[in-house]
Amino acid sequence: MQVAIGNDHVAVELKRIIKEYLEEKGIKVADFGTNSPERFDYPLSGYRVGKAVALGEADLGILICGTGVGISLAANKVRGIRAVVCSEPYTARLSRQHNNTNILAFGARVVGSELAKMIVDAWLDAEFEGGRHQKRIDMIAEIADTQRLAVAEDDE
Ligand code: RB5
């Protein structure tokens, strides 16, 4: 398994800890930076990691900024990306099982390193359940691809 990881200047240290944690588990990590404390615009990391996952260069992605919000918003603009922001493991697990998220985001100003590791474990250990959940994911993709949702227009 290969995980793409990216962050902004706020999250350099937490990214280093999580990267090391993943590597200890035998997971290959592609680091898209930043590794500098200089101000860094989070959309760039969100885009790079999103693209790596969408193109299949990485199986999954992890993004960290101050809150996890901005960087996940950027990644979610890449077609095929379903990024979730989590500050606890329950949502992380369910986001894989029901929403088939392919990027996990969290905030270095929100979670400590031990909680972040628990969130990462819950997310990586969970599997998409398919079935009724696939239809809903297809509906999300329809909105992104066409800016329409046929079933909604049928109702109007
Ligand atoms: C940077 O100050 C901060 O805005 C960024 O890390 C992130 O929290 C944005 O969502």
Side-chain angles (χ1 to χ4, degrees):
M1 145 124 49
Q2 167 128 339
V3 170
I5 200 163
N7 57 286
D8 73 356
H9 55 287
V10 176
V12 172
E13 177 59 9
L14 184 55
K15 191 275 300 285
R16 188 192 62 72
I17 292 169
I18 295 300
K19 183 178 170 186
E20 201 177 290
Y21 183 63
L22 293 170
E23 287 170 344
E24 277 167 12
K25 288 168 168 287
I27 295 172
K28 277 195 204 154
V29 182
D31 185 355
F32 286 81
T34 180
N35 287 299
S36 156
E38 297 297 310
R39 278 213 177 112
F40 184 91
D41 295 328
Y42 56 79
L44 189 52
S45 288
Y47 169 70
R48 286 179 174 155
V49 168
K51 222 172 120 191
V53 173
L55 294 175
E57 293 166 5
D59 301 301
L60 295 168
I62 294 180
L63 289 169
I64 319 170
C65 63
T67 58
V69 173
I71 206 160
S72 62
L73 288 176
N76 272 320
K77 297 299 177 195
V78 178
R79 193 183 300 266
I81 292 305
R82 290 174 301 281
V84 64
V85 188
C86 290
S87 51
E88 37 72 30
Y90 178 77
T91 305
R93 176 164 65 81
L94 266 288
S95 82
R96 284 277 277 157
Q97 292 175 334
H98 289 192
N99 316 112
N100 202 13
T101 49
N102 47 17
I103 291 187
L104 169 69
F106 45 86
R109 288 174 170 154
V110 181
V111 298
S113 59
E114 292 310 305
L115 180 54
K117 289 176 190 173
M118 291 170 77
I119 293 168
V120 166
D121 283 342
W123 189 68
L124 290 178
D125 291 347
E127 276 181 31
F128 180 49
E129 290 174 357
R132 70 186 189 282
H133 303 298
Q134 183 60 53
K135 177 187 160 205
R136 295 162 184 165
I137 288 168
D138 293 342
M139 290 170 76
I140 296 170
E142 184 188 340
I143 298 169
D145 292 346
T146 67
Q147 291 297 295
R148 294 180 59 233
L149 187 59
V151 71
E153 288 168 14
D154 291 349
D155 279 358
E156 287 161 7

